[in-house]
Amino acid sequence: MSLPAARPKALRCDATVAWTALQGHYQAHGRALDLREAFARDPQRFDAFALEAPEVFADLSKNRWDLATRRLLIELARECGLETRRDAMLAGAPINSTEGRAVLHTALRAPRGQGLFSDEVHEVLDRMLAFAEQVRDTAASGITDVVNIGIGGSDLGPQMVVPALEAFAHPAIRCHFVSNVDGHDIAPVLQRLDARHTLFIVASKTFTTQETMANAAVARQWFLDAGRAPADIARHFVGATTNQKAAAEFGIETTFGFWDWVGGRYSLWSAIGLPIAIAIGADNFRALLAGAHAMDRHFAEAPLESNLPVLLGLLDVWYRNFHGFTSRSVAPYHQGLKRLPAYLQQLEMESNGKCVDADGQPLPFGTSPVVWGEPGTNGQHAYFQMLHQGTDVIPVEFIAVKHPTHDHADLHTKALANCLAQAQALMQGKTSDAALGEKAPTASATLDPLTLARHRSFPGNRPSTMLLLDRLTPRALGALIALYEHRVFTSGAVWGINSFDQWGVELGKALCNQLLPRLADGPAKGDVAGLDASTAGLLRRLLA
Amino acid sequence: MSLPAARPKALRCDATVAWTALQGHYQAHGRALDLREAFARDPQRFDAFALEAPEVFADLSKNRWDLATRRLLIELARECGLETRRDAMLAGAPINSTEGRAVLHTALRAPRGQGLFSDEVHEVLDRMLAFAEQVRDTAASGITDVVNIGIGGSDLGPQMVVPALEAFAHPAIRCHFVSNVDGHDIAPVLQRLDARHTLFIVASKTFTTQETMANAAVARQWFLDAGRAPADIARHFVGATTNQKAAAEFGIETTFGFWDWVGGRYSLWSAIGLPIAIAIGADNFRALLAGAHAMDRHFAEAPLESNLPVLLGLLDVWYRNFHGFTSRSVAPYHQGLKRLPAYLQQLEMESNGKCVDADGQPLPFGTSPVVWGEPGTNGQHAYFQMLHQGTDVIPVEFIAVKHPTHDHADLHTKALANCLAQAQALMQGKTSDAALGEKAPTASATLDPLTLARHRSFPGNRPSTMLLLDRLTPRALGALIALYEHRVFTSGAVWGINSFDQWGVELGKALCNQLLPRLADGPAKGDVAGLDASTAGLLRRLLA
């Protein structure tokens, strides 16, 4: 197959005409835009900023932008060659230029015969789903517990998706996730397991990841200590890896591979998704892929003006580089999405948390924001105080589902009312005059009423986005995740970043390898030669 | 008892001499301070910034400050009347001025006979711990599962502490936490339970919290549907509440109360800690209290120069208001502390996420930062890329334990080596010249070596703090949590904030109550009159 060139010619955002225009627009209109006035002025504002994408309806109207902002942002995207860059990714160009790799997670969810590398992809997929179904036949397999041992991209995807799709999960199989090299992760998990009924998945592309190998070794030893024979390892350990040789040395015979064009944080669609497939079964896993594929088509084909991942990515740029907001809070009003923020932290911050562009030139503007959050309504009783009354503006992204996958209609209505109310409150705010007219039963009776009213007032004009799913099905979740992937691509492309490498993790790994012998039993233990005084002091203290 | 006045006279930080001096100091020295040079210049730097507090050793030397900064920050604290404010809190003054309440979580952990309200505190504590021990006698109690139904402060403390102290927990009792009004929280929990062996704790000071009451009603119905009799409710539901009347109407006979001087986010030491007491037992719960009390004494008595919560709080002010850092990442290298970031989000952001001072005057400077994070080493494989190579400086707080509470020595050594290495890497960085001299096996062979080196370089000079515990015991965890409480007090006092109210949660509650009838079955369903176009549009869509 002939692949296109690595990087099509395009401008970095700060060299474009649109960027300069946006700077002027921000000073003239953007900074002062008041959402309450904007809604009062334009009865069509909701419709103008409502958007339908596959499985996801988005209301972008409560964001601090107007039609002119959106137009300029789309011009910015065009000047930055977003469409060409996107097409290059989808066509398999080696857009991960520092590693010389293509970026083809979209190929993992293309229907049979349609995507690049379709034969390879569907061969592994078919085999993996057949295996998952075998495990799910618990009467035959004897498996009640599945332990995924993996970290980063080999952990966060499955760890996020499995609880999200609990309503679709096999009722008699429990999934556990061990990632941290800290032994307080694996120790309590093993304590709850019966070796005869446990399947371990060792998930590491190279089968060399420090944490994963250390935990796999502990699991293997535990398995043998529990009275199982070495020959049983092949039936109770499988690998999501391309290193069949190392897996075989471990005792693993069954492996599911993937390719160098699957980045870790984009890998839940590949063999790394095996725990998901075991939890929800082959048909549901295919629905997850189909949802993501539908979003891929939307990203590839919808005009930029109505392209949801593109608009979300551009809004991120607007907030980060013009408004100067440094973080975004994500508030899924669905407890099953409790690990979505952690998943998005890797997806966004590892992809775009970079300070040089693809050419290695230092970037003079901010890139990835901090992404953080907890499910609503929990967050309301924790940090929402700061979202409403703190000194910084933090855009909030609400996610809600129209229909629940449980039977408690009353609870669901309350969850939705809370979700809408929070977005409304952030925008609406409350003047101290309004607060002055209200009763506050828990307030101090001796406090001056005006002072109290100031405490009870809210600045308002705080932006939020609402993403609405019909129901959190495998298909809808697949679309939602792909939406985030392409949104990160969009902001990364505008910023001119290579969103697909992660050189920032290398230095810590190298230094860890140098420190290990100084901490472990052996001739170098306690050696502090060449260390800075802080590291040396801490090392001495740890060994004292 | 005669209580002191609400607020001793003191200056707000931006009116002090020290604040102005710090501004000059920042321009002259602070902004340009390079940690690598600072260590090279001063061989005593580690010792100068190392600090011993009860159960916690802190290394503050890898922060972007020097001895002059610290001296000025301490002057700032003095000018702001920190010591007087602290003493007022400890003496029971109504420092929560907007609610006219004292703030006495420290009284909850004072030894018998020593603190304020000691008789009341120890009466409830004794009764609660006796009850916990009864439950823990599982042969007699028949209880295998405890479900805490509470939200915010009635959830995050126990939810954080119970897994942290898993090594000390009753092996035959499982603790569950239901908080979210979203039904996807309680539904899967109930599915796993047997009503005959389950104890529900309904945790709500007023017994009116919307989420908690809704979930308690669902649990009660489930209990009855499972064939239990109404008379059994009193044996399977208890209350952590002061509203005995409402609890009795629910069918609850056993309640444990607390007082209006216990704020929600400071309440795990009170009856809200019942799930903790059941999990770890009376002696361990007392050890948790004793650890917190030891930190209280340190905060009350240690000179500001060696007062750990004070120094951490002042460093937060330095970073927030002079360096302009907007978030802090917390990285506990202990998987048991996986919920510490969520706990700290409430503690810090609900306490200090405010934009008016205690007098109701708007604050012209930033207050609470965003606090966020995941356990190490997991974070390293997710967002640490951004900490190392992102465009923003984000101070990182590492937490490590010298000795694990598991048997996997090899894993623990690896966890520690990673923790030290990350802090080292953040500070040390790597020049592109250094990167140019190294091999990078996974790099593209066709990329220009200098471009690649720029991708592989790290700015360094990124600050971090290391908190070291000997072992994560109940006592150590108590001290650690109290350390955070007093640190938040310190920055709040300097900023002149009332850190103990939370008016920012009221508006959303009120708007929710207005939206509920428009979403629920009834005459108002679908009514959008008076709503902004976005809320109206979303409401219509949800009901379509």
Side-chain angles (χ1 to χ4, degrees), chain A residues 17 237 243 246 271 288 305 312 346 359 366 378 381 495 541:
Chain A
V17 175
F237 288 78
N243 190 344
L288 182 82
E305 289 73 10
L312 287 175
Q346 181 185 27
D359 293 326
N378 294 350
H381 292 259
W495 288 326
R541 195 171 173 100

Side-chain angles (χ1 to χ4, degrees), chain A residues 39 46 52 57 59 61-62 97-100 151-152 166 179-185 188 192 210-211 214-215 218 320 326 334-335 339 342 345-346 349-350 353-355 357-361 365-368 370 372 374 376-378 380-383 385-386 388-392 394 402 405-406 408 411 413 415 417-418 420-422 424-425 427 429 442-444 451 454-456 458 502-505 507-508 511-512 515 519 531-535 537-538 541-542 544, chain B residues 39 46 52 57 59 61-62 97-100 151-152 166 179-185 188 192 210-211 214-215 218 320 326 334-335 339 342 345-346 349-350 353-355 357-361 365-368 370 372 374 376-378 380-383 385-386 388-392 394 402 404-406 408 411 415 417-418 420-422 424-425 427 429 442-444 451 454-456 458 502-505 507-508 511-512 515 519 531-535 537-538 541-542 544:
Chain A
F39 273 99
F46 172 71
E52 196 85 57
F57 170 81
D59 170 18
S61 68
K62 289 205 283 300
S97 54
T98 61
E99 300 184 290
I151 193 164
E166 178 143 12
S179 49
N180 201 333
V181 79
D182 175 49
H184 300 98
D185 197 3
R192 292 192 290 267
Q210 183 200 43
E211 287 90 340
N215 278 315
V218 166
R320 181 70 163 123
T326 57
H334 191 303
Q335 183 67 19
R339 294 300 286 160
Q345 285 177 340
Q346 181 185 27
M349 298 163 77
E350 191 166 68
K354 308 201 173 142
C355 57
D357 68 13
D359 293 326
Q361 296 305 314
F365 47 78
T367 55
S368 175
V370 171
W372 60 282
E374 288 281 322
T377 57
N378 294 350
Q380 293 173 212
H381 292 259
Y383 54 80
Q385 160 69 40
M386 175 168 159
H388 287 292
Q389 290 189 320
T391 49
D392 291 7
I394 298 171
K402 190 171 167 181
T405 45
H406 59 71
H408 307 290
L411 294 184
T413 307
N418 273 284
L420 291 188
Q422 290 298 322
Q424 202 186 4
M427 173 171 79
T442 62
S444 163
T451 302
R454 286 178 179 144
H455 282 275
R456 298 184 59 246
F458 294 70
Q502 53 281 320
W503 297 106
V505 307
L507 179 59
L511 294 177
C512 178
L515 284 174
L519 278 159
L531 296 177
D532 64 84
S534 167
T535 308
L538 290 167
R541 195 171 173 100
L542 286 168
Chain B
F39 274 99
F46 172 71
E52 196 86 58
F57 169 82
D59 170 17
S61 67
K62 288 204 284 302
S97 55
T98 61
E99 300 183 289
I151 193 164
E166 177 144 11
S179 50
N180 202 332
V181 80
D182 174 51
H184 300 98
D185 196 5
R192 292 191 290 268
Q210 184 200 42
E211 288 90 339
N215 277 315
V218 167
R320 182 70 164 124
T326 57
H334 190 303
Q335 183 68 20
R339 295 301 285 161
Q345 284 177 341
Q346 182 185 26
M349 298 163 77
E350 192 166 66
K354 313 212 167 133
C355 58
D357 68 13
D359 293 326
Q361 296 306 312
F365 48 78
T367 56
S368 175
V370 172
W372 61 282
E374 287 282 322
T377 56
N378 294 350
Q380 293 174 213
H381 293 259
Y383 54 79
Q385 161 69 41
M386 175 167 158
H388 287 293
Q389 289 189 320
T391 48
D392 292 6
I394 299 171
K402 189 171 167 182
T405 46
H406 60 71
H408 307 291
L411 293 184
N418 273 284
L420 292 189
Q422 290 299 322
Q424 203 186 4
M427 173 171 79
T442 62
S444 162
T451 302
R454 286 179 179 143
H455 282 276
R456 299 183 59 245
F458 294 70
Q502 54 281 320
W503 297 105
V505 307
L507 179 57
L511 294 178
C512 178
L515 284 175
L519 277 160
L531 297 177
D532 64 84
S534 166
T535 308
L538 290 167
R541 194 171 173 99
L542 285 168

Side-chain angles (χ1 to χ4, degrees), chain A residues 86-108:
Chain A
R86 173 197 65 195
D87 296 345
M89 173 176 74
L90 298 174
I95 62 165
N96 175 357
S97 54
T98 61
E99 300 184 290
R101 291 177 181 170
V103 173
L104 279 172
H105 42 282
T106 50
L108 297 169

Side-chain angles (χ1 to χ4, degrees), chain B residues 403-418:
Chain B
H403 302 292
T405 46
H406 60 71
D407 301 327
H408 307 291
D410 167 60
L411 293 184
H412 191 63
T413 307
K414 288 194 167 74
L416 290 179
N418 273 284

